[in-house]
Amino acid sequence: MTQSDNKDRVVIFDTTLRDGEQSPGATMTHDEKLEIAELLDDMGVDIIEAGFPIASEGDFRAVSEIAKRTKNSVICGLARANFGDIDRCWEAVRNSERPRIHTFIGTSPLHRAIPNLDQDQMADRIHETVTHARNLCDNIQWSPMDATRTEHDYLCRVVEIAIKAGATTINIPDTVGYTAPVESADLIRMLIEKVPGADDIIFATHCHNDLGMATANSLAAVEGGARQIECTINGLGERAGNTALEEVVMALKVRGDIMPYFTGIDTTKIMNISRRVASVSGFPVQFNKAIVGKNAFAHESGIHQDGMLKNAETFEIMRPEDVGLSETNLVMGKHSGRAALRSKLEDLGYVLADNQLKDVFVRFKELADRKKEVYDEDLIALMRAGEDAENDHITLKSLRVVCGTGEPQTAEMTLVIGGKEVSTTAAGDGPVDATFNAVKALYGHKARLQLYQVHAVTEGTDAQATVSVRMEENGNIATGQSADTDTVVASAKAYLNALNRLYVRRGRLGEDQREVNWKDVS
Ligand code: KIV
Ligand code: ZN
């Protein structure tokens, strides 16, 4: 498709697995990346940016595997402006039915200074690298990184060079989230008007959310003539994140009256993939997040509820089922059977083999014994907590915490580490601190705690607590999560989950260790 083909169709380019995964702490395992790619393909994403193949062996393996398996979407890999990166990227994507190479270089004055290239030298580099990529693959995307802070005449010049060298999509990144809607539209309009050959290619918009304008800037770019939006599920991404896929897609769907464009996304798949991405990335969705937040369709105030009962359109501009939210939040309890659990989990996007269901059913019954009503959120937390458990190097056998006023809190703990049982008692400033100290005493790690977060999954004093823990060890970051009706137990398990993930990463050093430091990219 070129700019002049179906002029109202907006191509959705998802970069959850590349720009999203690049966000510190959002690292996903190989299997998790394959699973997310399958869900993206299934929901109708046109292009999946599956990773940055030169960055690590792990990235390369994931992009290659996704390229081989994906049925419909174009599979794209990222490469800097050098032959080594581009060749490696091609190796990873070439087995896709529809491969794409995405190569980029920073073109703004600040970015040109990093590799110390003047305007002419950079223009030559762009010509050489895009030509090289096009000799390998006929679907080439080129990005002038930090385009929104690049001089307009220079931007026009390099975009023209990239088009002449064979780029089929030109992406205009707002790398630092600096632009605003009017400027975003004008920039694309200006490029289409001024650059020879612009009508034969697609312009893309790639916005970051530093000023909270990523969605507005992306939609404005479409008004200006862009026909590809780059985005991530839940807006995952470095700093304030990228444009959220669910927001631009639903905005185009709901406001087709003033934005007459359409995408190929099956919007009923949004909730499911949002939950999966939140779960595997360890980045929970904020409650009041547009489209996918827990409260996005909740009407609690009396006036709202009354209006909703009379006519849902009073306060609702889209229906929950349009984004895949089941109308009834069927409550499960200790009398619910295995078939009901299976069907409920399928609604939530978890399709389980019989042996997996057996294990989850046992954990569900344990939870239902402690908690009268088990909601969707409880089941999601339960699934998430069990995700890594079977391969864990360290597991919690028992924990007893003694709390009292005016005396130090102590945690008596038994762990199983590599099959061996070890026990200790440790004191701390509060029950969670005592618990973490006990883990440290038994498993002398050097990881640093970066984040500790507790959320109640549902309402009520018997609600499960979901705990997220982010740890850092020699530049490797891992996020651990767990849920339990006992906050201290959930904390201990989340802490161990993060340590287990670091353990796996350490074992794969050389494979998953990033060879490219994103901060030095030029
Ligand atoms: O934000 C950015 O500039 C990028 C480029 C690599 C496209 O992610
Ligand atoms: Zn980006």
Side-chain angles (χ1 to χ4, degrees):
M1 195 164 84
T2 69
Q3 201 74 28
S4 48
D5 287 337
N6 194 339
K7 62 180 182 36
D8 300 331
R9 168 74 154 86
V10 173
V11 169
I12 295 296
F13 175 109
D14 181 278
T15 183
T16 305
L17 296 174
R18 199 278 297 168
D19 219 338
E21 208 250 355
Q22 207 170 291
S23 170
T27 317
M28 300 174 199
T29 65
H30 182 75
D31 289 346
E32 287 165 350
K33 289 181 192 173
L34 300 190
E35 184 198 341
I36 298 300
E38 199 177 326
L39 294 175
L40 291 169
D41 187 32
D42 193 45
M43 82 188 295
V45 161
D46 300 284
I47 302 144
I48 298 173
E49 187 163 54
F52 189 7
I54 196 92
S56 71
E57 270 304 308
D59 261 42
F60 180 83
R61 270 196 314 130
V63 178
S64 317
E65 196 60 35
I66 291 168
K68 278 186 219 138
R69 290 177 179 218
T70 306
K71 299 189 190 82
N72 310 302
S73 314
V74 170
I75 299 302
C76 175
L78 185 69
R80 289 168 299 181
N82 66 66
F83 289 5
D85 269 40
I86 292 170
D87 292 345
R88 190 76 172 141
C89 178
W90 174 236
E91 243 184 280
V93 297
R94 67 184 303 167
N95 287 321
S96 160
E97 300 262 323
R98 283 169 281 277
R100 171 180 290 193
I101 297 174
H102 175 193
T103 179
F104 74 100
I105 194 162
T107 52
S108 66
L110 282 166
H111 282 265
R112 290 199 300 268
I114 301 172
N116 199 16
L117 296 178
D118 65 24
Q119 290 196 351
D120 292 340
Q121 288 165 327
M122 181 163 283
D124 289 346
R125 171 89 76 90
I126 294 163
H127 172 75
E128 282 161 19
T129 49
V130 176
T131 306
H132 181 71
R134 184 57 199 253
N135 286 335
L136 298 170
C137 177
D138 60 13
N139 189 339
I140 301 300
Q141 172 164 328
W142 180 73
S143 297
M145 186 163 74
D146 206 15
T148 51
R149 293 192 299 168
T150 300
E151 308 90 324
H152 284 191
D153 53 348
Y154 189 58
L155 189 62
C156 288
R157 177 176 165 202
V158 288
V159 166
E160 184 178 349
I161 290 172
I163 295 174
K164 284 203 175 120
T168 43
T169 298
I170 299 288
N171 175 38
I172 301 299
D174 182 30
T175 305
V176 291
Y178 177 70
T179 199
V182 172
E183 190 180 64
S184 176
D186 285 349
L187 186 61
I188 302 283
R189 206 171 282 126
M190 184 276 292
L191 288 166
I192 293 176
E193 268 166 29
K194 290 204 174 151
V195 176
D199 283 344
D200 303 327
I201 54 107
I202 291 238
F203 275 96
T205 175
H206 175 113
C207 298
H208 282 264
N209 204 28
D210 300 66
L211 292 172
M213 293 194 280
T215 296
N217 289 338
S218 302
L219 295 171
V222 170
E223 293 290 354
R227 286 296 177 270
Q228 174 176 305
I229 297 181
E230 307 210 353
C231 46
T232 58
I233 301 294
N234 298 340
L236 194 66
E238 260 189 291
R239 307 185 312 276
N242 289 62
T243 301
L245 178 146
E246 62 278 7
E247 292 178 14
V248 283
V249 167
M250 289 311 291
L252 290 177
K253 186 172 166 134
V254 173
R255 296 310 312 271
D257 55 333
I258 55 163
M259 293 183 284
Y261 313 103
F262 65 99
T263 71
I265 299 294
D266 176 354
T267 62
T268 64
K269 305 265 166 86
I270 285 178
M271 260 341 275
N272 178 28
I273 192 163
S274 161
R275 286 172 177 146
R276 290 304 292 147
V277 168
S279 165
V280 302
S281 67
F283 276 55
V285 175
Q286 110 200 19
F287 282 6
N288 57 342
K289 160 88 179 63
I291 318 293
V292 291
K294 186 174 184 287
N295 292 354
F297 291 90
H299 298 272
E300 285 199 4
S301 86
I303 298 173
H304 280 213
Q305 282 182 349
D306 185 47
M308 288 291 293
L309 289 174
K310 289 182 180 131
N311 179 356
E313 280 178 28
T314 324
F315 287 104
E316 228 170 50
I317 56 168
M318 51 198 158
R319 295 171 310 160
E321 49 282 27
D322 292 342
V323 298
L325 207 60
S326 48
E327 238 175 324
T328 53
N329 190 355
L330 177 70
V331 179
M332 310 276 292
K334 68 177 178 191
H335 300 299
S336 308
R338 208 174 288 209
L341 180 65
R342 182 193 285 281
S343 137
K344 184 80 211 170
L345 288 173
E346 277 175 9
D347 280 353
L348 295 174
Y350 297 94
V351 180
L352 302 185
D354 287 347
N355 59 333
Q356 289 171 309
L357 181 70
K358 207 167 137 197
D359 165 59
V360 173
F361 191 65
V362 172
R363 290 190 289 122
F364 161 70
K365 283 285 175 184
E366 281 167 13
L367 177 64
D369 272 341
R370 282 180 283 143
K371 194 172 183 300
K372 221 167 63 219
E373 290 166 330
V374 178
Y375 295 93
D376 289 2
E377 290 84 355
D378 289 315
L379 290 175
I380 292 164
L382 187 86
M383 294 302 296
R384 193 184 295 168
E387 255 153 25
D388 293 335
E390 54 204 68
N391 301 319
D392 280 352
H393 176 60
I394 320 165
T395 51
L396 179 69
K397 174 127 197 261
S398 66
L399 173 64
R400 189 167 163 270
V401 175
V402 181
C403 294
T405 43
E407 51 184 295
Q409 281 74 32
T410 54
E412 280 171 43
M413 174 180 282
T414 301
L415 297 180
V416 180
I417 305 179
K420 197 166 158 254
E421 230 176 83
V422 282
S423 304
T424 196
T425 301
D429 192 2
V432 174
D433 191 48
T435 301
F436 289 4
N437 286 341
V439 174
K440 240 190 218 160
L442 293 172
Y443 180 69
H445 65 85
K446 297 234 160 37
R448 207 170 50 85
L449 182 69
Q450 282 192 331
L451 173 100
Y452 169 73
Q453 238 172 22
V454 185
H455 289 295
V457 173
T458 54
E459 286 82 29
T461 49
D462 68 346
Q464 287 196 95
T466 304
V467 177
S468 301
V469 164
R470 194 189 305 150
M471 317 268 294
E472 186 268 339
E473 181 190 58
N474 300 327
N476 274 324
I477 295 173
T479 305
Q481 290 191 332
S482 195
D484 200 283
T485 46
D486 183 323
T487 310
V488 185
V489 171
S491 303
K493 288 183 176 169
Y495 192 71
L496 294 178
N497 185 221
L499 288 174
N500 278 315
R501 287 180 158 221
L502 284 173
Y503 175 80
V504 171
R505 287 179 69 77
R506 223 180 297 132
R508 288 215 219 116
L509 263 184
E511 182 181 304
D512 266 359
Q513 186 84 316
R514 296 218 157 228
E515 278 131 35
V516 172
N517 181 350
W518 188 252
K519 301 269 175 304
D520 298 334
V521 158
S522 58

